[in-house]
Amino acid sequence: AGLRGSRPVLLVSECVLVYMAPAESDALLRAVAGAFPDLTVVAYEAVGPDDAFGRMMVSNLEARGCPFRGIHAYPSIAAQEKRYQALHMMRTVVLDMNAVYAKLSETERKRIQRLEMLDEMEEWCMILSHYCLVMATVHEDPLCPSFL
């Protein structure tokens, strides 16, 4: 549909891969990486299924008929990093959302706190710890250097 393998491609995935079977999502990532030599992936994914909050999160989604089919294959920041490295991504950075939140300016954090009406910071931090931001590229160029 007009895509050219020679052009830079940004693949954005927001809690998509975690709903797929690992073999399917890995095949998708492998195919896209093979088709586009200048690929960058930015993915937001759920992690941490093995603590009390994570078990409840997984259970609630399964009860609604939309299970996290891939969360146990890639349950942690380290597992997400290994996933993209195994797919021959030359540079991979994975941060839990607490780390992303900490990199925001104080002004931005205060704005978010007003929007979310955060009464309980401990609960907010627990939720953030169950999601991560993946940034991976098939080339070695610096990836988001000003943010990371």
Side-chain angles (χ1 to χ4, degrees):
L3 290 176
R4 295 186 204 134
S6 61
R7 304 291 300 259
V9 172
L10 174 64
L11 174 66
V12 179
S13 170
E14 183 179 355
C15 279
V16 173
L17 302 174
V18 73
Y19 285 101
M20 299 172 70
E24 295 168 350
S25 60
D26 286 348
L28 173 66
L29 289 170
R30 198 174 302 107
V32 174
F36 302 104
D38 194 3
L39 174 69
T40 298
V41 176
V42 176
Y44 176 74
E45 292 294 338
V47 292
D50 298 321
D51 64 12
F53 182 89
R55 286 189 298 274
M56 182 59 70
M57 176 177 66
V58 168
S59 174
N60 285 342
L61 289 165
E62 285 177 359
R64 290 178 173 81
C66 49
F68 277 161
R69 295 171 62 201
I71 198 164
H72 294 290
Y74 304 107
S76 65
I77 301 297
Q80 289 284 342
E81 287 175 348
K82 287 180 185 174
R83 171 189 215 175
Y84 286 88
Q85 290 165 352
L87 294 169
H88 305 291
M89 297 289 184
M90 298 301 290
R91 172 139 179 180
T92 301
V93 177
V94 184
L95 301 171
D96 83 4
M97 293 309 293
N98 279 310
V100 173
Y101 186 73
K103 290 181 179 291
L104 299 176
S105 70
E106 182 67 25
T107 302
E108 185 64 10
R109 286 194 304 269
K110 285 181 180 178
R111 186 188 72 79
I112 291 168
Q113 289 170 7
R114 282 193 309 273
L115 288 174
E116 294 294 328
M117 294 182 277
L118 300 174
D119 295 329
E120 186 58 55
M121 281 307 291
E122 187 176 319
E123 182 179 344
W124 175 244
C125 291
M126 181 178 57
I127 292 167
L128 291 181
S129 73
H130 286 82
Y131 291 90
C132 68
L133 182 65
V134 178
M135 294 157 285
T137 184
V138 297
H139 49 76
E140 293 190 38
D141 290 342
L143 183 65
C144 303
S146 63
F147 185 73
L148 304 174

